[in-house]
Amino acid sequence: TITATAELTWGLLLCLSRKIPMAVRHVNNFKWDRNEFYGMELNGKTLGVIGYGRLGELIAEYGNIFKMKILIHEKNNELHNNNFAFVEIEELLKNSDIITIHINSSEKNKNFIDEKKFSFMKRKSILINTSRGDIIDEEVLIKKLESGYIAGAAMDVLQDEYSDDKNWIKHNKLINYARNNSNLLITPHIGGVTNDSTNKTNDFIIDKI
């Protein structure tokens, strides 16, 4: 599922940077005005990768192919790659045009992207989270989206997705915001859900048995 999640992350990144979902919806409403959809070219922009495990490493490589400058924040100081710069979190947030999150859910990482870290972010940056929902303070995220402080965000995970409340999705503030605003994209935790990844998982389990 690592490759599948990395590919979804990059797909969400492209959707936001080029306003693809909004442009498709525009055409489906029988309109044809490209002037409404000026986007961001990735070439030459700075990609900030938080977490340099197998997923973060793939995303950094994708960014390198798109000729982006790559900044990485990783708690393991022994990791290195000559193509990328390993930096402290504040430097990454201040200088990245696009930020992707690839760290584990833990008590330490709960609300890792909080009010303080949001304040360090470059204005009009884009935030992508395909890791775990509790890593981002969702209340602050909404405020930053509403004010236009960040240009957009895309989530494949939410804090409430494992709630016992059967109606949680109707009450979730991020989903309700996304229904009326184009700068937030949310997918239903589909990162690892592909035919290929499912077949690989099944084959792995069969081989083990």
Side-chain angles (χ1 to χ4, degrees):
T1 63
I2 297 297
T3 302
T5 303
E7 290 177 358
L8 176 72
T9 301
W10 205 257
L12 291 172
L13 187 157
L14 287 171
C15 280
L16 273 178
S17 62
R18 293 304 307 270
K19 303 182 180 181
I20 295 171
M22 297 74 94
V24 170
R25 192 157 52 244
H26 177 83
V27 174
N28 287 344
N29 287 325
F30 304 108
K31 298 178 182 178
W32 195 269
D33 185 3
R34 67 180 184 179
N35 292 323
E36 293 188 24
F37 305 103
Y38 278 87
M40 174 198 297
E41 288 187 20
L42 301 184
N43 189 334
K45 298 299 191 299
T46 300
L47 173 67
V49 180
I50 301 176
Y52 193 64
R54 290 181 298 166
L55 186 51
E57 186 176 1
L58 275 176
I59 294 300
E61 294 291 349
Y62 293 172
N64 196 41
I65 291 169
F66 277 75
K67 298 183 180 178
M68 302 180 76
K69 178 181 179 182
I70 313 298
L71 300 180
I72 295 170
H73 174 72
E74 170 56 52
K75 63 181 180 180
N76 185 351
N77 295 324
E78 295 180 0
L79 296 176
H80 70 277
N81 184 310
N82 292 332
N83 293 322
F84 313 137
F86 285 76
V87 298
E88 295 300 321
I89 188 65
E90 289 184 19
E91 183 178 346
L92 182 148
L93 296 173
K94 287 178 180 178
N95 294 287
S96 297
D97 299 294
I98 299 173
I99 299 163
T100 65
I101 301 173
H102 310 288
I103 56 178
N104 295 327
S105 175
S106 67
E107 193 60 36
K108 183 179 179 181
N109 287 337
K110 187 173 183 180
N111 288 333
F112 179 81
I113 304 295
D114 56 10
E115 180 101 45
K116 184 177 182 180
K117 289 190 177 71
F118 269 111
S119 70
F120 289 136
M121 285 186 192
K122 190 174 183 179
R123 286 185 175 273
K124 301 301 179 183
S125 58
I126 287 173
L127 179 64
I128 313 286
N129 184 20
T130 55
S131 182
R132 287 294 182 266
D134 59 5
I135 290 170
I136 294 178
D137 187 323
E138 294 181 349
E139 296 280 351
V140 181
L141 172 59
I142 289 176
K143 287 195 297 183
K144 296 301 181 180
L145 289 168
E146 286 178 332
S147 67
Y149 184 87
I150 63 174
M155 309 283 119
D156 187 45
V157 287
L158 296 175
Q159 288 188 7
D160 295 344
E161 65 178 291
Y162 299 113
S163 172
D164 293 329
D165 180 2
K166 293 181 180 179
N167 294 314
W168 72 269
I169 197 166
K170 294 182 179 179
H171 307 306
N172 184 274
K173 292 182 179 180
L174 279 181
I175 292 175
N176 280 295
Y177 177 86
R179 283 167 57 85
N180 299 300
N181 296 274
S182 61
N183 61 347
L184 175 61
L185 304 179
I186 302 175
T187 50
H189 207 147
I190 61 172
V193 183
T194 65
N195 292 323
D196 305 88
S197 63
T198 301
N199 290 336
K200 289 175 185 176
T201 301
N202 291 340
D203 290 341
F204 175 80
I205 293 172
I206 292 170
D207 288 342
K208 284 293 183 181
I209 294 174

